[in-house]
Amino acid sequence: MALLVKNGRIITATDDLLADIYVEDQTITAVGTGLKADASAEVIDATGKLVFPGFIDPHVHIYLPFMGTFAKDNYETASKAALVGGTTTLIEMCCPSRAESPLEAFELWRSKADRLAAVDYSFHMGVTKFDEGTEKQLREIVSRGISSFKVFLAYQGAFGIDDEELFRTLKLAKELGVIVTAHCENATAIAQLQNQLIAAGKTGPEFHEPSRPESVETEGVHHLMTFAELTGAHVYVVHTSCDGAVQAAQAARYRGVNAWIETVIPYLVLDKTYAEKENFEGAKYVMSPPIRDRKNQPVLWDAIRNRLISTVATDHAPFDFASQKSKGVDDFTKIPNGIPSVEDRVNLLYTHGVATGRIDLNTFVDAASTQAAKLFGLYPRKGTIQVGSDADLVIYDPEYRGTISARTQQMAVDYSAFEGWEIKGRPSVVTVRGEVQVRDGQFVGTVGRGQFLARKPNHF
Ligand code: URP
Ligand code: ZN
Ligand code: ZN
């Protein structure tokens, strides 16, 4: 069915115009003023609203076996949460254990999405071991539409790889034109600091941050940059939390390394005092790298505004407070790491970024949609509003006022890290390939309609 969105203020990463959008067969077929619709077309009046391209979250975990448990969402709950929050495309981390075959893991992760996704989706393929066998399978996975890898320099004994594996992964990625996303923290230093703190009886969630201080992350970024420089690979630092880490990546870019930086919404709005909350409440705020001293926030916001940070993702990783975070009640190293936020990213970025004047509307779209599409081989199908793009549209009401609460959220988790926080603005209508999935904050879409997005290597 055709769809006409009339009189909206269309915002892309570069443009700001009052116009109509016409959609036929899932695709934008016209952008202009005074567009006329077929009698059968649905017409949405977007007067007074902002019209954004569907937002893309390039860093989420949905199916995640991790720290002795599993993340809580499935593709149905995560899709609903994402869509209600304006996110129409997810790129999930496919994270096999070292013992699993990459191809089997890839098929397993795909099967989790196949029948339940309402968003469109792809995966970053986790490389958690590298040998001849994995190399062959990684080549096959790339030929099946995956153009990004994920490596962990942290999580020793779980997802983490050693330096030989890192070097060989980056070399393969360079050859294939694949970008490598990386969790950068020095695993050895973390293990030592964790041992010291626990031995000293410092077992609460407030000691998670001191066990992974800023220097440990900065060193991790520097380490990745050295290997990227040696191999010529294109790298993307995920969940950058602090000034030192941004500077390490920027210094590498200055000397010609092909590096991009992601931050995630928790670092922009939360600080380490949340992990110090009493009665173990701080566990709700344990993620890695940890939420940091407040002084880092203006640095991150400035870097988004200057477009030194390319993307704002979530690192959505939902673990229940009562039954899962509680595993670490006597030992912070056992608290499953992660803060759920796929539902809240866009509204928090708008409220704390655009509405406060920290970033403008074009930068908002660039960081939350366009850059992810460009870096991960989805542009211009996704990430913008132009003729030929998928009709993923977010009709956003900037006048809406409401509060975030676990009681009303779609995410399948028993708390919100942003409980009671005010939001200024929210999506009133969200479409995926021309079909309305959200109306007035409610999911009205079709579970299982989401498509796997086969991507081609960028070769930049
Ligand atoms: O704390 C986090 N970040 N949990 C999810 C796994 C990861 O490191 O991305
Ligand atoms: Zn990570
Ligand atoms: Zn992650």
Side-chain angles (χ1 to χ4, degrees):
M1 194 177 91
L3 172 72
L4 177 65
V5 179
K6 284 194 74 68
N7 303 321
R9 182 174 166 202
I10 299 170
I11 312 284
T12 68
T14 47
D15 298 320
D16 183 341
L17 68 155
L18 281 175
D20 309 333
I21 301 169
Y22 199 59
V23 175
E24 292 163 291
D25 296 330
Q26 312 192 15
T27 305
I28 297 171
T29 53
V31 179
T33 49
L35 297 183
K36 299 280 176 270
D38 267 12
S40 63
E42 174 171 0
V43 179
I44 297 175
D45 183 6
T47 305
K49 306 283 197 300
L50 304 167
V51 184
F52 300 123
F55 293 101
I56 300 170
D57 190 337
H59 184 169
V60 297
H61 302 270
I62 299 170
Y63 176 64
L64 177 65
F66 186 46
M67 298 182 76
T69 187
F70 291 84
K72 282 301 301 288
D73 273 316
N74 61 25
Y75 258 87
E76 178 173 349
T77 56
S79 289
K80 288 179 178 173
L83 287 166
V84 162
T87 295
T88 54
T89 298
L90 297 177
I91 310 183
E92 187 191 2
M93 301 294 173
C94 172
C95 297
S97 70
R98 279 181 80 85
E100 258 173 309
S101 109
L103 253 178
E104 280 173 21
F106 175 58
E107 279 162 8
L108 174 66
W109 258 259
R110 277 205 63 174
S111 75
K112 300 284 175 190
D114 266 351
R115 285 175 308 282
L116 292 181
V119 289
D120 286 351
Y121 57 92
S122 184
F123 302 94
H124 302 296
M125 186 61 217
V127 182
T128 53
K129 185 170 96 171
F130 195 96
D131 57 21
E132 279 66 35
T134 33
E135 175 175 341
K136 199 158 166 266
Q137 293 188 32
L138 289 168
R139 288 178 185 276
E140 170 67 22
I141 290 165
V142 171
S143 76
R144 293 194 197 177
I146 294 298
S147 59
S148 47
F149 293 157
K150 169 70 184 286
V151 295
F152 293 89
L153 309 191
Y155 306 134
Q156 223 170 31
F159 302 137
I161 53 172
D162 66 27
D163 281 349
E164 182 185 334
E165 292 170 316
L166 175 63
F167 192 93
R168 293 176 69 186
T169 303
L170 292 175
K171 231 173 122 220
L172 177 67
K174 171 70 182 167
E175 180 200 322
L176 297 177
V178 160
I179 186 167
V180 180
T181 72
H183 176 137
C184 298
E185 289 181 297
N186 184 298
T188 311
I190 293 166
Q192 294 302 314
L193 291 170
Q194 285 179 333
N195 290 344
Q196 278 178 35
L197 287 159
I198 296 295
K202 297 179 174 176
T203 59
E206 68 275 27
F207 295 106
H208 177 69
E209 201 279 337
S211 77
R212 317 170 90 100
E214 292 176 23
S215 57
V216 160
E217 183 184 345
T218 303
E219 201 281 326
V221 174
H222 180 71
H223 196 80
L224 177 76
M225 294 305 149
T226 304
F227 279 62
E229 191 166 14
L230 294 171
T231 55
H234 290 69
V235 292
Y236 171 96
V237 183
V238 300
H239 51 37
T240 310
S241 74
C242 62
D243 185 11
V246 174
Q247 289 204 36
Q250 283 306 326
R253 284 174 70 101
Y254 182 74
R255 56 179 200 269
V257 178
N258 300 303
W260 288 268
I261 308 173
E262 168 197 279
T263 191
V264 296
I265 198 70
Y267 302 138
L268 294 169
V269 295
L270 298 168
D271 63 65
K272 69 179 183 182
T273 61
Y274 285 86
E276 294 163 7
K277 283 182 173 228
E278 289 186 339
N279 301 321
F280 195 59
E281 288 274 311
K284 294 176 178 173
Y285 300 92
V286 166
M287 68 175 290
S288 296
I291 48 175
R292 299 295 188 193
D293 190 287
R294 231 185 145 67
K295 69 178 192 308
N296 291 288
Q297 287 179 356
V299 177
L300 297 178
W301 283 111
D302 283 346
I304 297 168
R305 193 177 56 251
N306 298 328
R307 304 199 183 187
L308 302 175
I309 288 179
S310 296
T311 56
V312 178
T314 56
D315 195 12
H316 176 72
F319 296 101
D320 271 344
F321 178 61
S323 61
Q324 295 180 299
K325 294 273 185 183
S326 56
K327 287 175 191 296
V329 71
D330 297 320
D331 178 348
F332 69 84
T333 68
K334 297 192 167 57
I335 300 170
N337 287 197
I339 298 181
S341 55
V342 72
E343 193 162 344
D344 306 309
R345 173 185 68 132
V346 169
N347 290 333
L348 287 171
L349 191 62
Y350 186 89
T351 302
H352 294 269
V354 177
T356 58
R358 286 181 173 121
I359 57 172
D360 63 27
L361 283 165
N362 300 116
T363 306
F364 170 68
V365 171
D366 199 43
S369 180
T370 313
Q371 283 300 320
K374 287 186 170 171
L375 284 166
F376 298 119
L378 295 170
Y379 189 85
R381 178 174 176 189
K382 307 287 189 189
T384 194
I385 295 174
Q386 67 183 48
V387 172
S389 296
D390 280 357
D392 298 351
L393 301 172
V394 176
I395 301 167
Y396 201 81
D397 180 2
E399 302 305 323
Y400 175 85
R401 297 292 178 268
T403 47
I404 296 174
S405 174
R407 284 189 304 283
T408 50
Q409 72 192 6
Q410 302 294 320
M411 298 182 289
V413 63
D414 68 355
Y415 77 99
S416 169
F418 316 104
E419 186 66 41
W421 287 30
E422 190 193 26
I423 48 164
K424 297 181 173 165
R426 76 159 185 196
S428 55
V429 176
V430 178
T431 70
V432 176
R433 287 176 279 106
E435 190 175 299
V436 173
Q437 302 288 301
V438 171
R439 241 184 255 279
D440 300 325
Q442 300 300 315
F443 176 77
V444 294
T446 313
V447 169
R449 186 173 172 270
Q451 285 183 355
F452 171 69
L453 299 167
R455 300 181 285 130
K456 286 198 171 61
N458 253 342
H459 288 292
F460 294 92

